[in-house]
Amino acid sequence: MSDAPSSQRITKRPGDDPLLVVENLKTHFHIDAGVVRAVDGVSFKLDRGKTLGIVGESGSGKTVLSRSVMRLNIAENVETAGSVKYDGVELLGKSNKEMRDYWGVEMAMVFQDPMTSLNPVVKVGRQLTEHVRYHLNTSKKEARLAAIELLRSVKIPEPESRFDVYPHEMSGGMRQRVCIASALACGPKMLFADEPTTALDVTVQHQILNLLQQAQQDRFMTMIMVTHDLGVVAGRTDDIAVMYAGKIVEKAPTRTLFAQMKHPYTQALLQSIPRASNPKHTRLSAISGRPPDLINPPSGCKFSPRCPYAQDKCYEVEPELKADTTPGHEFACHFPVGTPEGDAAFEANMAAGKPQTLAAAGKLAATEDLVTGGAV
Amino acid sequence: MAGSGKAHLRPESETILRVEDLHVEFPVGGGRTVYAVSGISFDIAKGETLGLVGESGCGKSTTGRAILQLPRPTRGSVKLGGEDLMAMDGEKMRQKRTDLQMIFQDPISSLNPRRMVGEVVAEPLEVWGPHDADEQWKIVSNMLDNVGIDPDVARYKRAHEFSGGQCQRISIARALVMEPELIICDEPVSALDVSVQAQILNMLEDLKAQYGLTLVFIAHDLAVVKNISDRVAVMYLGKMCELSESDELYERPAHPYTSLLLGSTPIPDPLVNIHDVPEAEGELPSPISPPSGCRFRTRCPYADEICERVEPQMRKISDDHYVACHHPLVEAEEVAVSFD
Ligand SMILES: Nc1ncnc2c1ncn2[C@@H]1O[C@H](COP(=O)(O)OP(=O)(O)OP(=O)(O)O)[C@@H](O)[C@H]1O
Ligand SMILES: Nc1ncnc2c1ncn2[C@@H]1O[C@H](COP(=O)(O)OP(=O)(O)O)[C@@H](O)[C@H]1O
Ligand code: SF4
Ligand code: SF4
Ligand SMILES: [Mg+2]
Ligand SMILES: [Mg+2]
């Protein structure tokens, strides 16, 4: 494999429109305590053959967003609005029965915990053959051969002999390979991977991410990769969207995002990652507090109670997602990182001793990180 | 089979914990045995943090629990402040355990869901005193305060009402109330988001400075371990591969497995070419029938005939840097230079 992102090596077929167009998507859950605004007005387009990373803290709405696009979370208490167009066809409003023509065949999902998509009491080979037969209507024998080929394609050694083992007899990494094989079984055009490696060790994570990227390139798939770790998507995506409290707060081509990030939340996420290249005991830059209550989110910018740059205006006026100068770069912030206004805001907060600003600068006792950002 | 050597141990007078030739074996059905930990040795000085790193199943948790004698190791010795824990009877060990505390990966399930947070943190005091309720609350509220949890808010709430990061703070407060000599942190941040992870790592560093804590810090992410540890021990399939001062380990990894771990750690920079990094070959072998000689040889790109036959022993590479490998990478570099 080379380091070039997939899109640079595969020439886009001219005249192709985006495979996925999401507009003002809202997914709200009605519970006793109120309305959980898990996804609250998300719009993006995804071109064929591209990989989009979706990054954010726990509870920011990454999983609900991917499940909403695939129409997987159609529960009693859910209310979805907006538009999801896949290959030109509106998916919102389609019944589960209609969606069955899409699941597996057009779009498939790999989950964080492999056991959620594997049946623990059925041997892996049979799970795969049944899956293939359900969708592709082949003979038992053909399905078996197809399943063995699939296992081989996800680099499971000696697939014939692994055919008759139960999921619990495999390691976590092997199980995730089986899930990927199953997701690839019917040749989907679009693959969602929701934290596919969060439960795995670094060495296995590296293998699985390589495998996903290889599959994406070989099959010219369009991919959405969900993670809370910017390190996981840094070298493996064309674009990254950063989510906070149910909204996209910044989106850009991957290299632009890292080189010219404008949103303080993106910067905070990046700076909180420990790096092996830093000397031991390097003070980490922490994000104070925790994500907001999605039933009663703060007024103005939802990141304001934790933002090192926040000024009076931020507590009153919610910033809109708007285009930056670099093509494809959008962000929602009144005092962007790296601009004169942003620098002045940060300086002013440092001078005033604002706790979240001190924490970001690594100058706050860690016990006070919780003080901002809402009640216990 | 010989152990992995002890060249890296320091004089006993300089350390508070000394583990020698530790073996932990679990009998499993059919007369078979899991060789979870096989002859590892290490020591820790007071106020030091030792990181234990390695992939899932390599024996990190088993090593941590063996220090606490949970369960009793199969053989070897574990000495805390010169006292041999392996020789202590049950009652004596129960008392000793107040000096040794453990923090676990899953913060929510490691706290009793039926009791209020105030009581959960006071649990060790209920056994060992002080028994006076007011005195207990004084200690507990002070500790909660130290970990950034408002004691008056938390006192009558239950663990599930808190986030994962807050529960981890509460477990740390509970571990601290007995003022233990050693705290074993078993993957305390592996289940947390990067943002919460930073808060917890910073807090452990602050508490270490405040209380002079001695820590064993277990994780599979080398970047995390390196950040918090003074020294790092790299484990593979029940053996110790390399032990070094943390910065030196990153700059000059000597064991092929350490180098693989370092290469697999994601770097948040799109300009770093991830595909330059070799992938780990194959899978971790079964600890029921570990490979002969060097246990890493089935996946090691440098393995040769001697690696199959002879188990490598720990030897010194430089100050406070030891490796158990027949063909260490650092030496290999020196050889390459002399060929020019
Ligand atoms: N069925 C449901 N009913 C009510 N609230 C829900 C439901 N499913 C999700 N939520 C809420 O929606 C919000 C977003 O959840 P989501 O699972 O998408 O987060 P995430 O970004 O994927 O987080 P993580 O990193 O933890 O996976 C959370 O506040 C969650 O509690
Ligand atoms: N009680 C037990 N019975 C049998 N095998 C065990 C037991 N505890 C741990 N093991 C095995 O010992 C090895 C080391 O496990 P562990 O210490 O949990 O690894 P780590 O913490 O590094 O992931 C693994 O192969 C594990 O399956
Ligand atoms: S500077 Fe203001 S608008 Fe921008 S992220 Fe911070 S709080 Fe929000
Ligand atoms: S002893 Fe041999 S097999 Fe083991 S790590 Fe060193 S070179 Fe590799
Ligand atoms: Mg999720
Ligand atoms: Mg463990």
Side-chain angles (χ1 to χ4, degrees):
Chain A
M1 266 189 271
S2 88
D3 68 326
S6 52
S7 56
Q8 294 180 3
R9 297 204 294 124
I10 298 163
T11 37
K12 190 170 168 272
R13 286 168 292 185
D16 268 356
D17 43 347
L19 181 64
L20 186 68
V21 181
V22 175
E23 268 173 276
N24 202 18
L25 181 65
K26 291 187 180 174
T27 305
H28 295 176
F29 297 98
H30 293 267
I31 59 170
D32 291 345
V35 180
V36 181
R37 300 163 174 275
V39 173
D40 205 21
V42 166
S43 306
F44 65 89
K45 293 191 174 88
L46 189 53
D47 283 330
R48 289 161 210 268
K50 294 248 186 182
T51 299
L52 171 70
I54 297 182
V55 183
E57 278 167 288
S58 186
S60 57
K62 309 179 295 294
T63 297
V64 174
L65 172 62
S66 8
R67 296 182 71 97
S68 305
V69 171
M70 273 188 79
R71 311 274 303 129
L72 278 176
N73 63 336
I74 306 169
E76 293 274 288
N77 64 340
V78 75
E79 181 196 333
T80 310
S83 159
V84 175
K85 284 212 178 77
Y86 174 84
D87 218 353
V89 180
E90 178 62 56
L91 296 187
L92 288 202
K94 279 201 187 296
S95 65
N96 274 0
K97 191 162 167 286
E98 291 170 303
M99 280 311 295
R100 262 181 222 128
D101 294 338
Y102 286 83
W103 291 332
V105 187
E106 292 291 331
M107 37 174 75
M109 172 106 70
V110 177
F111 298 91
Q112 169 171 350
D113 178 5
M115 288 313 266
T116 52
S117 42
L118 293 175
N119 184 338
V121 296
V122 179
K123 292 173 178 167
V124 297
R126 217 182 107 205
Q127 298 195 38
L128 270 181
T129 37
E130 278 177 2
H131 189 64
V132 170
R133 290 194 70 194
Y134 175 85
H135 288 287
L136 300 183
N137 213 357
T138 53
S139 75
K140 225 173 173 169
K141 209 173 147 216
E142 281 169 333
R144 187 187 157 93
L145 287 177
I148 288 178
E149 250 345 281
L150 276 168
L151 289 174
R152 205 187 309 282
S153 77
V154 296
K155 297 192 188 156
I156 291 191
E158 302 161 40
E160 292 87 352
S161 65
R162 299 286 174 130
F163 210 76
D164 290 318
V165 304
Y166 289 99
H168 69 87
E169 296 175 276
M170 299 184 127
S171 69
M174 279 296 159
R175 283 200 286 261
Q176 195 57 295
R177 284 175 196 271
V178 173
C179 292
I180 294 172
S182 161
L184 296 178
C186 308
K189 292 199 191 79
M190 172 137 203
L191 187 68
F192 290 80
D194 187 358
E195 311 237 14
T197 59
T198 302
L200 306 172
D201 295 92
V202 286
T203 45
V204 183
Q205 163 166 291
H206 188 69
Q207 293 170 336
I208 296 289
L209 293 174
N210 284 351
L211 175 67
L212 281 171
Q213 198 168 3
Q214 187 70 58
Q216 186 264 340
Q217 288 177 0
D218 294 349
R219 295 159 180 256
F220 194 72
M221 281 190 301
T222 307
M223 188 150 90
I224 288 188
M225 179 118 82
V226 171
T227 172
H228 67 266
D229 185 351
L230 271 168
V232 164
V233 284
R236 302 182 186 274
T237 51
D238 298 294
D239 295 280
I240 292 178
V242 179
M243 274 189 88
Y244 190 77
K247 288 195 156 81
I248 292 179
V249 296
E250 183 160 22
K251 180 170 176 288
T254 302
R255 289 189 181 185
T256 308
L257 187 91
F258 279 87
Q260 300 162 36
M261 53 183 59
K262 287 279 161 55
H263 202 282
Y265 181 62
T266 311
Q267 186 189 42
L269 273 184
L270 181 67
Q271 290 183 342
S272 60
I273 302 174
R275 296 180 186 231
S277 53
N278 284 343
K280 64 183 175 189
H281 305 306
T282 298
R283 185 91 182 162
L284 296 168
S285 148
I287 312 180
S288 301
R290 53 200 190 98
D293 175 359
L294 296 179
I295 299 176
N296 294 303
S299 59
C301 174
K302 295 197 171 64
F303 189 50
S304 56
R306 307 168 74 193
C307 178
Y309 295 73
Q311 302 296 306
D312 289 346
K313 181 180 180 187
C314 304
Y315 301 103
E316 287 148 25
V317 186
E318 179 157 27
E320 287 191 20
L321 193 65
K322 46 180 194 277
D324 194 21
T325 44
T326 314
H329 190 177
E330 301 170 291
F331 65 91
C333 174
H334 299 308
F335 301 93
V337 175
T339 62
E341 313 88 84
D343 292 346
F346 193 91
E347 290 303 316
N349 288 352
M350 273 304 269
K354 216 171 189 160
Q356 62 262 47
T357 315
L358 294 175
K363 293 204 166 80
L364 187 73
T367 49
E368 286 164 52
D369 287 349
L370 273 186
V371 174
T372 52
V376 172
Chain B
M1 191 169 26
S4 294
K6 297 177 194 170
H8 56 293
L9 293 183
R10 296 167 288 191
E12 269 194 79
S13 57
E14 294 173 16
T15 60
I16 65 161
L17 180 82
R18 185 179 173 98
V19 173
E20 277 183 73
D21 206 21
L22 182 74
H23 289 257
V24 184
E25 291 159 14
F26 300 101
V28 284
R32 297 177 309 167
T33 301
V34 172
Y35 297 94
V37 172
S38 305
I40 70 168
S41 305
F42 56 92
D43 56 21
I44 308 178
K46 189 163 173 47
E48 195 171 69
T49 300
L50 174 72
L52 277 187
V53 66
E55 71 200 272
S56 171
C58 73
K60 306 180 296 292
S61 302
T62 304
T63 302
R65 297 173 56 86
I67 298 173
L68 274 82
Q69 309 291 299
L70 290 171
R72 293 263 182 196
T74 312
R75 44 181 203 283
S77 86
V78 178
K79 284 191 202 150
L80 182 70
E83 282 184 288
D84 189 354
L85 303 185
M86 304 255 307
M88 278 182 192
D89 63 31
E91 176 52 28
K92 192 120 186 281
M93 192 55 225
R94 209 171 74 87
Q95 289 178 20
K96 199 72 201 164
R97 250 175 227 137
T98 58
D99 287 342
L100 295 162
Q101 293 290 327
M102 193 144 179
I103 300 165
F104 299 94
Q105 170 168 356
D106 184 352
I108 298 174
S109 68
S110 69
L111 298 172
N112 186 336
R114 282 183 298 274
R115 306 190 74 184
M116 253 91 70
V117 165
E119 297 171 318
V120 168
V121 177
E123 258 164 29
L125 301 175
E126 277 165 28
V127 182
W128 303 105
H131 296 284
D132 176 74
D134 287 343
E135 264 182 74
Q136 275 189 8
W137 177 240
K138 225 158 107 188
I139 298 174
V140 168
S141 60
N142 178 43
M143 235 6 123
L144 283 171
D145 217 28
N146 277 337
V147 296
I149 298 283
D150 184 337
D152 298 313
V153 174
R155 187 171 191 176
Y156 299 112
K157 287 196 169 187
R158 284 167 223 277
H160 66 84
E161 295 175 62
F162 292 86
S163 70
Q166 289 170 322
C167 285
Q168 203 53 289
R169 288 167 184 265
I170 294 166
S171 330
I172 293 170
R174 185 180 57 177
L176 284 175
V177 290
M178 294 307 295
E179 301 183 10
E181 298 222 24
L182 180 72
I183 304 182
I184 295 153
C185 310
D186 190 359
E187 309 230 23
V189 294
S190 303
L192 306 175
D193 270 353
V194 283
S195 55
V196 183
Q197 169 176 288
Q199 291 177 355
I200 299 291
L201 291 174
N202 282 347
M203 195 183 70
L204 282 172
E205 294 274 27
D206 289 352
L207 292 169
K208 196 178 138 186
Q210 188 180 346
Y211 291 95
L213 299 177
T214 308
L215 304 178
V216 174
F217 189 96
I218 298 174
H220 64 257
D221 182 334
L222 199 44
V224 169
V225 169
K226 189 201 159 178
N227 181 270
I228 194 159
S229 306
D230 300 298
R231 301 170 98 208
V232 175
V234 180
M235 285 184 69
Y236 183 81
L237 201 61
K239 293 281 181 187
M240 193 176 287
C241 305
E242 185 164 6
L243 183 136
S244 170
E245 185 275 326
S246 313
D247 292 330
E248 161 81 6
L249 184 80
Y250 172 78
E251 264 149 46
R252 298 202 316 148
H255 199 282
Y257 179 62
T258 310
S259 151
L260 186 74
L261 269 185
L262 266 176
S264 307
T265 307
I267 298 174
D269 179 354
L271 301 178
V272 172
N273 187 354
I274 18 189
H275 301 299
D276 282 350
V277 176
E279 236 181 52
E281 292 286 325
E283 289 253 294
L284 194 70
S286 161
I288 294 178
S289 49
S292 63
C294 173
R295 287 192 180 180
F296 186 51
R297 70 175 165 82
T298 54
R299 301 168 77 189
C300 178
Y302 308 98
D304 64 7
E305 176 270 337
I306 187 175
C307 306
E308 191 178 331
R309 257 189 318 111
V310 184
E311 194 196 351
Q313 299 289 304
M314 274 286 196
R315 61 189 161 113
K316 187 169 179 169
I317 293 231
S318 58
D319 265 356
D320 211 14
H321 189 177
Y322 301 83
V323 67
C325 171
H326 295 303
H327 311 294
L329 301 173
V330 171
E331 228 177 45
E333 273 170 23
E334 285 159 12
V335 172
V337 169
S338 69
F339 273 126
D340 288 344

